[in-house]
Amino acid sequence: MYFHSVTLDRDRCKGCTNCIKRCPTEAIRVRDGKAKIIKEKCIDCGECVRVCPYHAKVVVTDDIGMMENYKYKIALPAPSLYGQFKDMTIGDILTSLQSCGFDEVFEVAYAADIVSYITRNIVKTKDYKRPIISSACPAIVRLIQQRFPSLMDNILDIMPPVEVAGKIARDEAKKKTGLKDEEIGVFFVSPCAAKVTSVKNPIGIEKSYINGVFSMRDVYSMILDKRKFVEKKIDHTSSMIGVGWANAGGESYGTSLENCLFVDGIQNVIGVLEDIELGKLDDIDFFEGLACVGGCVGGPLTVANNFVARNRIMKLKEKLNKDEATKKYIEVDFNEFMLNVKLKKSDVLNLDEDIDKAIDMMNSIDEIYKSLPGLDCGSCGSPGCRALAEDIVKGFASEYDCIFKLKDRIKILAEEINKLSIKIPPVIGSDKEVKP
Amino acid sequence: MKPYTMDFDVKARDFSSAGESSSKFRKTLLMLSIPSDIVRRASIAAYEAEMNIVIHSYGGKMHFEIYSDKIVIIAEDTGPGIKDLELAMKEGYSTAPKEVIEMGFGAGMGLPNMKRNADTMEIVNHDESGTKIVMTINF
Ligand code: SF4
Ligand code: SF4
């Protein structure tokens, strides 16, 4: 079964319909007064988590207690973690994180350095379709599978930094400790709901190298608790390029390609992907699309305001050097870090796989749509009138879910009842003549 | 079999809604299970035709017919026609006004791009009374 990180806390949901309209893939309906996520359509972008006034949309992450199932525990902090704390150096953060019960901390920023290094080299030798599209944001990759399948060939086939980090950390720990694979636990400290999902349902690889994903929010308070007691001892290894991945544009910068375009915010990304498909952006070498405003520093599991966090990342970067980090991995075989499972197009938008049948359904949708008021109010529980018409034809909704339709119908019935009520049965009284 | 049809009015020089009909057409193709490379080609052909109406004409219409084995796109406007068709078919040749080119449109790729992406393209009419172009894409 497909696992989703974004889920509903039923008790908190008021059925207010705020989220259904903001969902970029129209994946939410309100039914029986509660928001229902259509799991095949959801890309875990986190928009509904941000928009729900009652905090009824929750990002399910792993319980920190699961660490205890492993002999050797490795934490993989996302680069965005460095932007969450005031007056803490990267070294302070890493040391405090390690003292939360991990045997080792391995920076995802360091893996991002390696991914940038591979990207810089591979684009020189391999013939990619332009623009090359980043594979780093899983919400965007899933969006492309669903809405822009013709662009799947443009996606860069390198593993995202978190998986590169997982693989290297795991392999090194095995060598160092002699422990078995299943005795080593690798845990990602995530700003992101979509990445929780892609650890359970990997994109482009057979199996994830990560055992669990912890919410940055949960880890944040643990780090604050530890910070007073630890003396700085861990030195970080990532360069300004890897740390820069926390912000939108960081990956682009790392490619060293001349003509890069980075776009944040899921609706903005959709607009630009349309332009790419129309061939309007063929002059762009690299496209970095990020679902969250600001990039991963704006992820739904972060704590700090994303503008503040973005600024902190910029400040931290200034103190770092450029490419020290990758030196050790220059000899590495790139093939180890390439995606090797072909991406599949998603068919969830299709009304029916048979085109003739789909055309029939589309004609019925149009007919029903014409009879609806066109207010897109959402009171029916679908994101708009067109979506309700679709739901009706697919058999998930009824015409009278529309309150205006229902009101009209009640009016007609009431008039009918009124008319009938005036009629008096002949037994009680009627001056009608009786004819033979 | 009855096709699925879509009709849109396209206003001249209305850049704020330019491309909307092609975008709706594109979404419809996805819902109708049309293969993704056909979706891409049809969207490009439709977009270029729509932009031609926005940039060059006095206004017009886009009409789409979707069958189980082909797509027909008809772009029709109310003038002023195409003066030199042979030149207009050349890549990079543009008669778009300067301010439109400055906005990043009208690069002179419209007709050539439509021809490249459609299987057949017929320019039914291109005199002062208007231009009518019929394109088909088979699959
Ligand atoms: S925004 Fe959605 S999840 Fe939140 S209360 Fe309203 S309907 Fe429920
Ligand atoms: S921008 Fe970053 S945090 Fe947001 S969905 Fe994409 S990968 Fe996750």
Side-chain angles (χ1 to χ4, degrees):
Chain A
M1 216 195 88
Y2 196 85
F3 166 91
H4 266 293
S5 166
V6 175
T7 37
L8 184 79
D9 179 341
R10 279 188 70 87
D11 295 338
R12 285 190 184 169
C13 177
K14 301 249 188 299
C16 70
T17 74
N18 272 308
C19 59
I20 58 175
K21 290 194 182 177
R22 273 283 289 275
C23 175
T25 57
E26 296 197 335
I28 316 171
R29 301 289 182 274
V30 173
R31 294 285 179 265
D32 295 327
K34 302 286 171 192
K36 211 175 139 26
I37 301 172
I38 305 170
K39 61 177 193 307
E40 294 82 358
K41 280 191 173 174
C42 173
I43 57 173
D44 290 287
C45 66
E47 283 294 289
C48 59
V49 178
R50 281 183 269 253
V51 78
C52 175
Y54 305 100
H55 306 291
K57 286 282 170 45
V58 285
V59 177
V60 175
T61 50
D62 289 308
D63 181 52
I64 294 189
M66 85 179 280
M67 266 161 62
E68 303 317 320
N69 303 335
Y70 299 87
K71 281 209 181 112
Y72 193 80
K73 311 163 185 75
I74 307 170
L76 308 180
S80 47
L81 183 71
Y82 308 154
Q84 306 301 309
F85 305 91
K86 204 176 163 193
D87 304 325
M88 272 177 96
T89 65
I90 298 178
D92 293 340
I93 296 170
L94 296 177
T95 315
S96 311
L97 173 62
Q98 178 159 326
S99 61
C100 294
F102 297 97
D103 296 291
E104 186 186 316
V105 174
F106 190 101
E107 290 183 86
V108 175
Y110 181 57
D113 272 319
I114 296 169
V115 173
S116 289
Y117 178 78
I118 300 177
T119 310
R120 282 200 291 280
N121 284 284
I122 208 163
V123 293
K124 283 190 216 140
T125 53
K126 213 164 147 183
D127 203 13
Y128 284 103
K129 265 200 192 173
R130 299 288 156 122
I132 302 167
I133 298 177
S134 158
S135 58
C137 176
I140 300 300
V141 173
R142 279 192 218 110
L143 176 78
I144 291 173
Q145 289 174 293
Q146 209 177 94
R147 294 243 314 244
F148 301 94
S150 78
L151 297 180
M152 286 187 332
D153 297 341
N154 295 50
I155 294 177
L156 183 66
D157 52 352
I158 304 176
M159 281 172 8
V162 55
E163 292 294 347
V164 170
K167 182 169 164 43
I168 298 176
R170 179 176 289 283
D171 288 348
E172 286 186 350
K174 266 195 280 188
K175 256 187 249 152
K176 195 164 87 186
T177 63
L179 290 171
K180 283 198 253 72
D181 211 13
E182 56 274 19
E183 293 171 316
I184 297 169
V186 179
F187 307 99
F188 179 41
V189 180
S190 175
C192 174
K195 288 204 166 121
V196 181
T197 305
S198 60
V199 163
K200 319 271 172 192
N201 307 88
I203 302 175
I205 47 175
E206 291 288 349
K207 193 175 171 295
S208 172
Y209 295 96
I210 317 295
N211 297 98
V213 183
F214 299 155
S215 163
M216 195 168 280
R217 292 209 170 142
D218 297 343
V219 176
Y220 177 85
S221 37
M222 289 166 58
I223 290 181
L224 283 187
D225 288 345
K226 296 282 177 204
R227 112 180 246 195
K228 309 165 206 94
F229 306 108
V230 293
E231 286 161 40
K232 181 182 154 320
K233 48 179 187 285
I234 299 179
D235 237 355
H236 71 94
T237 37
S238 56
S239 83
M240 64 169 288
I241 293 179
V243 173
W245 275 60
N247 290 354
E251 182 185 7
S252 295
Y253 178 78
T255 64
S256 288
L257 287 164
E258 209 164 289
N259 207 355
C260 295
L261 176 67
F262 66 89
V263 176
D264 55 347
I266 184 113
Q267 292 298 353
N268 302 328
V269 175
I270 291 175
V272 177
L273 288 172
E274 279 192 17
D275 285 354
I276 292 178
E277 195 182 53
L278 289 173
K280 282 160 76 183
L281 296 173
D282 285 353
D283 56 328
I284 303 282
D285 290 317
F286 188 83
F287 174 68
E288 176 188 349
L290 297 156
C292 299
V293 173
C296 301
V297 283
L301 295 175
T302 55
V303 181
N305 172 293
N306 65 346
F307 296 95
V308 174
R310 200 183 321 183
N311 202 35
R312 285 189 191 137
I313 295 283
M314 308 272 271
K315 288 258 153 56
L316 289 170
K317 264 173 61 182
E318 279 169 19
K319 298 197 187 92
L320 302 174
N321 60 16
K322 204 166 165 185
D323 32 30
E324 200 56 29
T326 39
K327 269 192 190 144
K328 196 171 146 200
Y329 282 95
I330 290 180
E331 302 305 321
V332 148
D333 179 10
F334 295 169
N335 290 322
E336 278 191 48
F337 301 118
M338 302 305 282
L339 298 181
N340 49 23
V341 178
K342 216 175 145 26
L343 290 179
K344 269 209 217 87
K345 158 180 186 280
S346 144
D347 291 329
V348 307
L349 286 183
N350 299 166
L351 290 173
D352 196 288
E353 57 183 49
D354 179 76
I355 300 182
D356 275 327
K357 249 202 204 143
I359 290 175
D360 265 353
M361 289 171 80
M362 202 55 136
N363 280 315
S364 317
I365 290 172
D366 274 10
E367 225 150 89
I368 295 171
Y369 177 63
K370 269 186 228 140
S371 78
L372 296 172
L375 292 169
D376 292 334
C377 69
S379 304
C380 56
S382 299
C385 299
R386 180 94 211 165
L388 175 65
E390 272 173 50
D391 289 347
I392 294 171
V393 170
K394 287 182 190 158
F396 302 141
S398 124
E399 210 181 331
Y400 300 116
D401 289 347
C402 170
I403 53 165
F404 299 93
K405 276 269 180 179
L406 182 68
K407 200 171 144 255
D408 280 352
R409 181 92 184 115
I410 290 174
K411 193 171 156 237
I412 294 168
L413 284 177
E415 279 165 6
E416 192 77 1
I417 289 171
N418 206 17
K419 258 190 236 154
L420 286 175
S421 71
I422 297 168
K423 291 211 163 108
I424 306 167
V427 184
I428 301 173
S430 158
D431 44 14
K432 261 192 210 145
E433 272 183 63
V434 184
K435 281 202 176 141
Chain B
M1 191 71 200
K2 198 172 148 216
Y4 181 72
T5 60
M6 299 172 86
D7 288 279
F8 299 93
D9 285 329
V10 181
K11 284 204 201 106
R13 297 296 173 97
D14 181 1
F15 287 96
S16 61
S17 55
E20 254 171 35
S21 69
S22 326
S23 174
K24 284 186 183 144
F25 166 61
R26 179 188 181 280
K27 185 155 183 239
T28 305
L29 295 178
L30 285 177
M31 292 176 69
L32 294 177
S33 309
I34 308 294
S36 44
D37 58 316
I38 303 288
V39 173
R40 186 178 47 86
R41 281 170 51 204
S43 316
I44 295 175
Y47 174 78
E48 296 290 0
E50 185 183 352
M51 290 313 289
N52 273 349
I53 298 178
V54 175
I55 297 168
H56 299 285
S57 84
Y58 308 144
K61 283 186 171 71
M62 293 295 297
H63 171 81
F64 302 103
E65 284 169 20
I66 306 157
Y67 299 84
S68 57
D69 57 352
K70 70 168 182 216
I71 295 167
V72 181
I73 303 171
I74 302 174
E76 201 172 0
D77 66 47
T78 54
I82 305 168
K83 278 215 189 70
D84 192 331
L85 189 59
E86 212 177 298
L87 263 182
M89 289 301 296
K90 277 211 180 107
E91 293 197 2
Y93 175 80
S94 175
T95 57
K98 210 174 115 232
E99 68 274 16
V100 172
I101 296 179
E102 276 166 2
M103 287 168 76
F105 299 102
M109 295 300 290
L111 287 175
N113 233 345
M114 283 152 68
K115 195 170 159 63
R116 195 175 322 127
N117 285 289
D119 288 313
T120 68
M121 173 165 120
E122 195 191 345
I123 302 182
V124 185
N125 187 39
H126 63 100
D127 59 22
E128 316 80 66
S129 69
T131 304
K132 180 173 177 179
I133 301 176
V134 180
M135 293 177 279
T136 53
I137 295 165
N138 304 314
F139 44 93

